[in-house]
Amino acid sequence: MKETFRIISDGACDISKEEAARWNVTIVPFYVSFQDKIFVKNMKLRRFYQRLTELPKKRVRMVPPRVSDYVKVFLPLAEAGIPILCLCMDGTVSRSLCHAQIARQQILERLPKAVIEVVDSHADPALHMLFVKEASRLQKDGFSFYGTTARLKRIRGRGKAFFISCKSGYRLKRKRHAVKESLDQLMRYLKKETPKRFSISIGYGYNYGEAANLRSMVLKKLRALGYPITEKDVPLYRMGRVESLKTGPAPLGVAILKHA
């Protein structure tokens, strides 16, 4: 069957290669820059977390994909006549969006009939992941390129992430308080927004057990509010490089995206 359109995302969505394949999403990754100015593309997640722990005082930052990275991905699709839907994290905090837009213009100068849409998700990495997942769901449900794009533009920015950094040195009492505060913030958001449809996920860094425990608490809270939600509806995912720079080397928390 001929492909109707291709979903592209920058690496801010923090999903694995397996998830990207399952969602039919092509990822254009960020680069990792340590203080010694060594840029590493696709650095293994376990090693990245280890470096954050070993070098807490050194400057670590994410460098967005280059224009040439986007061109390399866009060009063969455009030549094949496949519409491109490129989703980038909040353009006010990353130049990834700008680079994708420049790449789009370069492709259109060579191939004026190419169909390329670059969409700002208006979201940080945790929410951007849910944004990309929703794009994949819409495509699988048979929505057209333009239908998917229109729906995504309506829901961008409609969400919230409540993350903490559960550092290994945290005392149990302090950690429990931080988790409770994160849950309280989520409940206040739900009561204020009262979304009929939403997607939600639990992100973690090192400790899968903490994430599973947090999911149990979230499910209990959501069911108390009357949402018929199951464990399958609240997936756990290991947070990647971009989000962990904001939350620290051992993040834990909840992200929720309100649908139109």
Side-chain angles (χ1 to χ4, degrees):
M1 184 176 70
K2 185 178 179 180
E3 186 173 16
T4 55
F5 65 93
R6 178 69 62 86
I7 300 171
I8 309 292
S9 173
D10 61 19
C13 65
D14 273 345
I15 64 175
S16 66
K17 291 182 179 179
E18 293 74 22
E19 288 171 319
R22 190 164 61 249
W23 297 357
N24 195 30
V25 175
T26 299
I27 304 298
V28 185
F30 276 66
Y31 294 82
V32 182
S33 172
F34 292 98
Q35 193 174 24
D36 53 12
K37 298 183 180 180
I38 295 177
F39 291 81
V40 183
K41 190 175 182 179
N42 289 328
M43 184 179 191
K44 288 189 178 298
L45 193 56
R46 181 179 294 276
R47 177 57 180 156
F48 176 75
Y49 277 129
Q50 185 179 346
R51 287 294 300 271
L52 285 183
T53 304
E54 292 172 348
L55 309 171
K57 295 182 180 180
K58 285 202 171 188
R59 185 180 181 185
V60 183
R61 64 190 178 97
M62 301 305 298
V63 179
R66 304 183 180 103
V67 173
S68 59
D69 293 327
Y70 280 112
V71 170
K72 185 177 180 180
V73 173
F74 289 173
L75 186 57
L77 295 170
E79 289 176 335
I82 299 173
I84 299 166
L85 177 56
C86 180
L87 310 177
C88 298
M89 72 174 289
D90 190 347
T92 64
V93 298
S94 169
R95 289 190 60 81
S96 176
L97 176 73
C98 178
H99 292 175
Q101 290 171 331
I102 294 171
R104 173 184 180 273
Q105 189 57 41
Q106 289 183 5
I107 297 296
L108 290 177
E109 289 173 359
R110 297 172 60 176
L111 302 168
K113 293 184 179 181
V115 179
I116 306 173
E117 186 78 29
V118 178
V119 178
D120 184 347
S121 68
H122 295 174
D124 66 5
L127 276 179
H128 185 66
M129 186 272 290
L130 292 177
F131 192 76
V132 173
K133 187 176 182 180
E134 178 63 7
S136 174
R137 185 192 69 80
L138 290 169
Q139 185 185 50
K140 288 180 179 179
D141 285 351
F143 282 82
S144 67
F145 171 79
Y146 295 105
T148 299
T149 302
R151 282 178 173 257
L152 290 175
K153 287 183 176 179
R154 286 202 295 270
I155 69 171
R156 58 183 175 179
R158 293 187 178 187
K160 202 79 173 177
F162 309 99
F163 280 90
I164 58 176
S165 179
C166 290
K167 300 176 182 178
S168 58
Y170 268 18
R171 291 184 178 179
L172 183 59
K173 185 176 180 180
R174 183 181 178 186
K175 184 179 293 187
R176 285 176 175 170
H177 175 77
V179 170
K180 181 180 182 300
E181 178 60 28
S182 181
L183 282 172
D184 289 344
Q185 290 174 345
L186 172 64
M187 292 304 106
R188 287 195 292 269
Y189 173 82
L190 286 168
K191 289 176 181 178
K192 179 182 177 182
E193 298 294 330
T194 59
K196 293 182 180 179
R197 287 187 63 249
F198 60 86
S199 52
I200 188 168
S201 65
I202 306 293
Y204 69 99
Y206 280 139
N207 198 320
Y208 178 89
E210 286 181 341
N213 184 53
L214 178 57
R215 175 165 62 182
S216 297
M217 291 187 283
V218 168
L219 285 170
K220 185 177 180 180
K221 294 280 188 180
L222 290 174
R223 289 165 181 165
L225 292 178
Y227 290 106
I229 197 163
T230 67
E231 191 173 274
K232 185 179 178 181
D233 299 319
V234 189
L236 307 181
Y237 78 100
R238 191 174 189 185
M239 293 166 63
R241 304 158 190 81
V242 182
E243 181 70 27
S244 61
L245 286 182
K246 183 178 70 174
T247 59
L252 178 67
V254 187
I256 180 169
L257 177 67
K258 182 179 176 181
H259 296 181

PDB file of all heavy atoms in Angstrom, residues 56-71:
ATOM      1  N   PRO A  56      28.420  15.942  37.568  1.00  0.00           N
ATOM      2  CA  PRO A  56      27.299  16.830  37.871  1.00  0.00           C
ATOM      3  C   PRO A  56      27.608  18.308  37.695  1.00  0.00           C
ATOM      4  O   PRO A  56      26.711  19.112  37.468  1.00  0.00           O
ATOM      5  CB  PRO A  56      26.989  16.499  39.340  1.00  0.00           C
ATOM      6  CG  PRO A  56      28.289  15.968  39.886  1.00  0.00           C
ATOM      7  CD  PRO A  56      28.916  15.231  38.746  1.00  0.00           C
ATOM      8  N   LYS A  57      28.882  18.693  37.816  1.00  0.00           N
ATOM      9  CA  LYS A  57      29.222  20.105  37.719  1.00  0.00           C
ATOM     10  C   LYS A  57      29.604  20.532  36.311  1.00  0.00           C
ATOM     11  O   LYS A  57      29.765  21.712  36.031  1.00  0.00           O
ATOM     12  CB  LYS A  57      30.371  20.420  38.682  1.00  0.00           C
ATOM     13  CG  LYS A  57      29.989  20.236  40.151  1.00  0.00           C
ATOM     14  CD  LYS A  57      31.138  20.618  41.070  1.00  0.00           C
ATOM     15  CE  LYS A  57      30.754  20.443  42.523  1.00  0.00           C
ATOM     16  NZ  LYS A  57      31.865  20.816  43.441  1.00  0.00           N
ATOM     17  N   LYS A  58      29.768  19.567  35.451  1.00  0.00           N
ATOM     18  CA  LYS A  58      30.143  19.917  34.082  1.00  0.00           C
ATOM     19  C   LYS A  58      28.918  20.297  33.280  1.00  0.00           C
ATOM     20  O   LYS A  58      27.831  19.769  33.482  1.00  0.00           O
ATOM     21  CB  LYS A  58      30.877  18.754  33.410  1.00  0.00           C
ATOM     22  CG  LYS A  58      32.296  18.588  33.903  1.00  0.00           C
ATOM     23  CD  LYS A  58      33.131  17.841  32.874  1.00  0.00           C
ATOM     24  CE  LYS A  58      34.613  17.862  33.256  1.00  0.00           C
ATOM     25  NZ  LYS A  58      35.452  17.312  32.187  1.00  0.00           N
ATOM     26  N   ARG A  59      29.114  21.182  32.360  1.00  0.00           N
ATOM     27  CA  ARG A  59      27.995  21.628  31.545  1.00  0.00           C
ATOM     28  C   ARG A  59      27.647  20.587  30.484  1.00  0.00           C
ATOM     29  O   ARG A  59      28.481  20.124  29.736  1.00  0.00           O
ATOM     30  CB  ARG A  59      28.375  22.951  30.859  1.00  0.00           C
ATOM     31  CG  ARG A  59      27.237  23.565  30.079  1.00  0.00           C
ATOM     32  CD  ARG A  59      27.685  24.850  29.453  1.00  0.00           C
ATOM     33  NE  ARG A  59      26.594  25.463  28.706  1.00  0.00           N
ATOM     34  CZ  ARG A  59      26.731  26.568  27.970  1.00  0.00           C
ATOM     35  NH1 ARG A  59      27.906  27.159  27.894  1.00  0.00           N
ATOM     36  NH2 ARG A  59      25.707  27.062  27.326  1.00  0.00           N
ATOM     37  N   VAL A  60      26.376  20.217  30.486  1.00  0.00           N
ATOM     38  CA  VAL A  60      25.875  19.273  29.503  1.00  0.00           C
ATOM     39  C   VAL A  60      24.663  19.921  28.839  1.00  0.00           C
ATOM     40  O   VAL A  60      23.805  20.479  29.510  1.00  0.00           O
ATOM     41  CB  VAL A  60      25.448  17.940  30.154  1.00  0.00           C
ATOM     42  CG1 VAL A  60      25.001  16.952  29.085  1.00  0.00           C
ATOM     43  CG2 VAL A  60      26.579  17.365  30.983  1.00  0.00           C
ATOM     44  N   ARG A  61      24.602  19.858  27.545  1.00  0.00           N
ATOM     45  CA  ARG A  61      23.449  20.439  26.857  1.00  0.00           C
ATOM     46  C   ARG A  61      23.140  19.644  25.599  1.00  0.00           C
ATOM     47  O   ARG A  61      23.958  18.889  25.099  1.00  0.00           O
ATOM     48  CB  ARG A  61      23.695  21.910  26.497  1.00  0.00           C
ATOM     49  CG  ARG A  61      24.822  22.151  25.517  1.00  0.00           C
ATOM     50  CD  ARG A  61      25.163  23.641  25.404  1.00  0.00           C
ATOM     51  NE  ARG A  61      26.271  23.854  24.492  1.00  0.00           N
ATOM     52  CZ  ARG A  61      26.134  24.201  23.219  1.00  0.00           C
ATOM     53  NH1 ARG A  61      24.921  24.386  22.708  1.00  0.00           N
ATOM     54  NH2 ARG A  61      27.181  24.384  22.448  1.00  0.00           N
ATOM     55  N   MET A  62      21.921  19.829  25.140  1.00  0.00           N
ATOM     56  CA  MET A  62      21.483  19.178  23.916  1.00  0.00           C
ATOM     57  C   MET A  62      21.577  20.182  22.770  1.00  0.00           C
ATOM     58  O   MET A  62      21.149  21.327  22.897  1.00  0.00           O
ATOM     59  CB  MET A  62      20.045  18.698  24.054  1.00  0.00           C
ATOM     60  CG  MET A  62      19.825  17.706  25.189  1.00  0.00           C
ATOM     61  SD  MET A  62      20.897  16.260  25.121  1.00  0.00           S
ATOM     62  CE  MET A  62      20.400  15.538  23.575  1.00  0.00           C
ATOM     63  N   VAL A  63      22.129  19.746  21.674  1.00  0.00           N
ATOM     64  CA  VAL A  63      22.264  20.577  20.480  1.00  0.00           C
ATOM     65  C   VAL A  63      21.267  20.067  19.442  1.00  0.00           C
ATOM     66  O   VAL A  63      21.252  18.869  19.137  1.00  0.00           O
ATOM     67  CB  VAL A  63      23.702  20.514  19.929  1.00  0.00           C
ATOM     68  CG1 VAL A  63      23.836  21.368  18.671  1.00  0.00           C
ATOM     69  CG2 VAL A  63      24.691  20.978  21.000  1.00  0.00           C
ATOM     70  N   PRO A  64      20.407  20.932  18.920  1.00  0.00           N
ATOM     71  CA  PRO A  64      19.354  20.466  18.006  1.00  0.00           C
ATOM     72  C   PRO A  64      19.905  19.917  16.701  1.00  0.00           C
ATOM     73  O   PRO A  64      21.053  20.204  16.319  1.00  0.00           O
ATOM     74  CB  PRO A  64      18.527  21.741  17.765  1.00  0.00           C
ATOM     75  CG  PRO A  64      19.488  22.858  17.997  1.00  0.00           C
ATOM     76  CD  PRO A  64      20.369  22.392  19.119  1.00  0.00           C
ATOM     77  N   PRO A  65      19.102  19.136  16.000  1.00  0.00           N
ATOM     78  CA  PRO A  65      19.525  18.631  14.692  1.00  0.00           C
ATOM     79  C   PRO A  65      19.902  19.793  13.771  1.00  0.00           C
ATOM     80  O   PRO A  65      19.299  20.862  13.821  1.00  0.00           O
ATOM     81  CB  PRO A  65      18.276  17.906  14.171  1.00  0.00           C
ATOM     82  CG  PRO A  65      17.482  17.596  15.388  1.00  0.00           C
ATOM     83  CD  PRO A  65      17.744  18.703  16.351  1.00  0.00           C
ATOM     84  N   ARG A  66      20.891  19.572  12.926  1.00  0.00           N
ATOM     85  CA  ARG A  66      21.298  20.604  11.976  1.00  0.00           C
ATOM     86  C   ARG A  66      20.308  20.667  10.819  1.00  0.00           C
ATOM     87  O   ARG A  66      19.537  19.743  10.585  1.00  0.00           O
ATOM     88  CB  ARG A  66      22.701  20.300  11.444  1.00  0.00           C
ATOM     89  CG  ARG A  66      23.766  20.156  12.520  1.00  0.00           C
ATOM     90  CD  ARG A  66      25.130  19.920  11.880  1.00  0.00           C
ATOM     91  NE  ARG A  66      26.175  19.775  12.879  1.00  0.00           N
ATOM     92  CZ  ARG A  66      26.715  18.628  13.247  1.00  0.00           C
ATOM     93  NH1 ARG A  66      26.298  17.508  12.697  1.00  0.00           N
ATOM     94  NH2 ARG A  66      27.667  18.586  14.157  1.00  0.00           N
ATOM     95  N   VAL A  67      20.375  21.759  10.081  1.00  0.00           N
ATOM     96  CA  VAL A  67      19.542  21.893   8.889  1.00  0.00           C
ATOM     97  C   VAL A  67      19.815  20.736   7.936  1.00  0.00           C
ATOM     98  O   VAL A  67      18.898  20.132   7.364  1.00  0.00           O
ATOM     99  CB  VAL A  67      19.801  23.244   8.183  1.00  0.00           C
ATOM    100  CG1 VAL A  67      19.066  23.310   6.838  1.00  0.00           C
ATOM    101  CG2 VAL A  67      19.382  24.403   9.078  1.00  0.00           C
ATOM    102  N   SER A  68      21.087  20.398   7.792  1.00  0.00           N
ATOM    103  CA  SER A  68      21.461  19.309   6.883  1.00  0.00           C
ATOM    104  C   SER A  68      20.887  17.966   7.323  1.00  0.00           C
ATOM    105  O   SER A  68      20.604  17.098   6.491  1.00  0.00           O
ATOM    106  CB  SER A  68      22.990  19.206   6.782  1.00  0.00           C
ATOM    107  OG  SER A  68      23.570  18.965   8.059  1.00  0.00           O
ATOM    108  N   ASP A  69      20.703  17.774   8.641  1.00  0.00           N
ATOM    109  CA  ASP A  69      20.101  16.539   9.139  1.00  0.00           C
ATOM    110  C   ASP A  69      18.654  16.417   8.653  1.00  0.00           C
ATOM    111  O   ASP A  69      18.202  15.338   8.259  1.00  0.00           O
ATOM    112  CB  ASP A  69      20.136  16.497  10.664  1.00  0.00           C
ATOM    113  CG  ASP A  69      21.546  16.394  11.219  1.00  0.00           C
ATOM    114  OD1 ASP A  69      22.388  15.759  10.558  1.00  0.00           O
ATOM    115  OD2 ASP A  69      21.808  16.946  12.301  1.00  0.00           O
ATOM    116  N   TYR A  70      17.947  17.537   8.716  1.00  0.00           N
ATOM    117  CA  TYR A  70      16.557  17.531   8.252  1.00  0.00           C
ATOM    118  C   TYR A  70      16.484  17.356   6.729  1.00  0.00           C
ATOM    119  O   TYR A  70      15.645  16.608   6.225  1.00  0.00           O
ATOM    120  CB  TYR A  70      15.853  18.821   8.666  1.00  0.00           C
ATOM    121  CG  TYR A  70      15.398  18.826  10.101  1.00  0.00           C
ATOM    122  CD1 TYR A  70      15.975  19.675  11.044  1.00  0.00           C
ATOM    123  CD2 TYR A  70      14.374  17.980  10.519  1.00  0.00           C
ATOM    124  CE1 TYR A  70      15.544  19.679  12.363  1.00  0.00           C
ATOM    125  CE2 TYR A  70      13.941  17.977  11.841  1.00  0.00           C
ATOM    126  CZ  TYR A  70      14.528  18.829  12.753  1.00  0.00           C
ATOM    127  OH  TYR A  70      14.103  18.825  14.063  1.00  0.00           O
ATOM    128  N   VAL A  71      17.360  18.041   6.024  1.00  0.00           N
ATOM    129  CA  VAL A  71      17.366  17.915   4.561  1.00  0.00           C
ATOM    130  C   VAL A  71      17.590  16.468   4.163  1.00  0.00           C
ATOM    131  O   VAL A  71      16.933  15.944   3.235  1.00  0.00           O
ATOM    132  CB  VAL A  71      18.440  18.828   3.932  1.00  0.00           C
ATOM    133  CG1 VAL A  71      18.609  18.515   2.445  1.00  0.00           C
ATOM    134  CG2 VAL A  71      18.068  20.297   4.119  1.00  0.00           C
TER     135      VAL A  71
END
